[in-house]
Amino acid sequence: MNVILLAALLAAGPDQIVAQVDGRPILAVDVHDQLRGTRGAAPSSTPQEALQLLVSESLLAEEAERQGLEKDPAIREAIEAEKQRIASDRFLDKEVDGAVHVNESTVRAVFHSRADVARIAAIIVASEAEARAILDRLGKGAQFAQEARASLDAKVVAKGGDMGDVSRGDMDPAMAELAFSAPIGKAVGPCRLQLGVAVVKVAARSIGSEKEYQARRAGLEQYVRQQTVAELRRHYTQALRGQAGVKLDEAFLQSTGARLTATAEERQHALATIAGHPVRYADILPDMMTLSRGREGGHLSGPRVKTQIAWAFIDRKLIEDAMKRSGYAARPEVAMRGAAARRMVLARALIEKFRSSGQPGSGDGALLKVLGDLHARARIITDDAALQSASRLD
């Protein structure tokens, strides 16, 4: 997302009203989050597109209220869960993401890991002595393909050691250094790899150009930032686990096999304890049902996936506890997103109702008709100035 665009959009403050739908405000921060893709929905490419989605969402939420969907305890619970998710995500933004600084050298390294390509042949043996002996024989006229028959890499023996075109990032680091510095057509080595020792011959190579790098730089920088954030978040949650002394009962999860049905006793089984509060098997079953679509017996209902989901649930609880201890949940930037969370959950509940009822007048076609009618009756007021500035910078 263009940083200048976000800055311009929020210049008047995140609580600036961008639009009103039947008197209900859509804030600049809502558009901001939709553009960034941090609302649990696919990001929009322009402020206009983001606002259009948010207006439709507001209308659907209003209709969901009219139909009394918010009275459903499961939907109320989903709204609170979404508020917690948003608060936790903002907390991680502050605690972890704000510390991320992407270096130019790192972005360039990622670019060249894919853009730099060499066509190489290699003979991999067990020792430097064997590699030196091969180099000696090659120097005396032996054929590379003949010597390659002794290679430990069975995949290329039949090809005379030819590995084809290989990008820098797909090579062992030591081989990559040699592949992009050795003379073309000359066998060189020994090159000590993580597994074995290589004799390498480079047939051709190409290096990503500065023009190509500049064209791809923005996307690469975003990729590097995302990868760095994900890694820092993993470290952060690992630290929280250690501080809390959390242990997961993986043996119990193994004992459940690929079943999704559970006895009352199994549902109450404590998988872990966080600050004196148990995390029970029943807590992770809804996520298991969603992921596996209720189908038992496959990989998605197996112990390995159950373990991953259990840890994800535990991590969410640990982050929520850390957030509550810090008092961050009461911050204005979190509170102002509460209405958006409620609106999104209600809109999705109405969509699901149309898609799953199976009654006449249901399904996506009926939903689109209802949405069209809602738009036709709605009173929508837009602050064009906020969106015009964003559009110019997009």
Side-chain angles (χ1 to χ4, degrees):
M1 183 58 217
N2 189 313
V3 174
I4 300 175
L5 168 61
L6 295 180
L9 183 60
L10 297 177
D15 58 349
Q16 179 187 18
I17 296 176
V18 173
Q20 294 186 62
V21 182
D22 291 334
R24 302 183 181 205
I26 293 175
L27 304 180
V29 71
D30 300 332
V31 179
H32 169 269
D33 288 350
Q34 178 57 34
L35 286 166
R36 291 183 61 200
T38 57
R39 302 175 63 248
S44 299
S45 58
T46 66
Q48 291 84 357
E49 183 182 286
L51 183 58
Q52 184 178 20
L53 184 147
L54 292 167
V55 167
S56 293
E57 186 179 86
S58 181
L59 291 170
L60 290 172
E62 188 176 352
E63 177 63 16
E65 288 178 26
R66 190 187 67 77
Q67 294 187 20
L69 296 189
E70 198 170 6
K71 296 176 182 178
D72 186 335
I75 292 177
R76 290 202 301 270
E77 184 178 334
I79 291 172
E80 290 307 311
E82 181 61 19
K83 289 180 179 179
Q84 285 292 326
R85 185 197 69 77
I86 289 173
S88 296
D89 203 49
R90 298 285 77 72
F91 176 71
L92 284 176
D93 279 347
K94 171 180 173 288
E95 290 293 302
V96 178
D97 303 6
V100 172
H101 298 286
V102 178
N103 295 323
E104 179 73 10
S105 58
T106 303
V107 180
R108 283 186 177 275
V110 171
F111 167 73
H112 285 291
S113 73
R114 309 314 305 172
D116 298 357
V117 177
R119 185 171 186 83
I120 59 175
I123 305 168
I124 301 175
V125 291
S127 67
E128 287 193 17
E130 292 176 84
R132 292 186 188 281
I134 290 171
L135 284 166
D136 183 59
R137 290 194 294 272
L138 291 172
K140 294 176 180 178
Q143 296 298 306
F144 196 97
Q146 183 74 18
E147 293 293 331
R149 293 179 180 178
S151 179
L152 298 176
D153 186 354
K155 297 191 297 296
V156 297
V157 167
K159 301 177 182 178
D162 184 12
M163 299 178 68
D165 291 334
V166 186
S167 62
R168 185 189 292 267
D170 289 335
M171 297 182 196
D172 181 290
M175 184 180 286
E177 183 176 350
L178 194 60
F180 289 95
S181 61
I184 299 295
K186 179 179 175 60
V188 293
C191 176
R192 178 162 290 282
L193 310 177
Q194 294 176 347
L195 295 173
V197 181
V199 172
V200 179
K201 184 167 69 172
V202 182
R205 61 175 168 247
S206 61
I207 307 296
S209 68
E210 180 66 16
K211 181 179 180 180
E212 184 183 2
Y213 170 70
Q214 292 299 334
R216 297 176 54 192
R217 186 185 180 284
L220 288 168
E221 183 175 1
Q222 183 179 20
Y223 169 79
V224 171
R225 181 175 296 280
Q226 289 171 343
Q227 295 299 306
T228 305
V229 165
E231 185 62 26
L232 286 176
R233 287 192 176 197
R234 279 194 291 271
H235 284 305
Y236 183 75
T237 53
Q238 287 287 344
L240 290 179
R241 292 181 194 178
Q243 293 165 11
V246 179
K247 295 181 179 179
L248 178 64
D249 189 351
E250 295 188 28
F252 172 80
L253 293 175
Q254 287 287 340
S255 73
T256 65
R259 287 187 294 113
L260 293 175
T261 54
T263 66
E265 183 179 1
E266 286 174 333
R267 292 178 64 86
Q268 292 304 308
H269 183 85
L271 297 175
T273 302
I274 301 174
H277 300 289
V279 174
R280 303 190 187 280
Y281 186 47
D283 294 327
I284 74 163
L285 283 175
D287 288 343
M288 284 299 309
M289 293 294 290
T290 299
L291 181 65
S292 65
R293 297 183 179 179
R295 298 172 184 170
E296 291 187 325
H299 167 70
L300 293 179
S301 66
R304 183 174 180 180
V305 174
K306 288 177 181 176
T307 297
Q308 293 171 345
I309 286 180
W311 275 121
F313 184 91
I314 289 168
D315 289 342
R316 288 200 304 270
K317 291 298 180 184
L318 290 170
I319 292 167
E320 286 175 14
D321 285 351
M323 176 188 65
K324 290 172 183 175
R325 289 195 301 271
S326 74
Y328 188 77
R331 295 278 300 259
E333 61 265 34
V334 174
M336 72 175 60
R337 286 176 165 92
R342 175 178 172 277
R343 186 174 62 222
M344 183 174 69
V345 171
L346 285 173
R348 289 181 178 180
L350 183 65
I351 292 170
E352 182 61 26
K353 178 181 177 181
F354 269 89
R355 288 177 173 172
S356 63
S357 70
Q359 299 297 318
S362 65
D364 287 351
L367 176 64
L368 289 173
K369 182 179 183 306
V370 167
L371 184 57
D373 291 343
L374 292 173
H375 270 279
R377 296 196 304 265
R379 183 169 181 267
I380 302 170
I381 302 173
T382 302
D383 181 348
D384 291 328
L387 290 177
Q388 285 172 4
S389 62
S391 298
R392 288 194 301 270
L393 293 168
D394 188 34

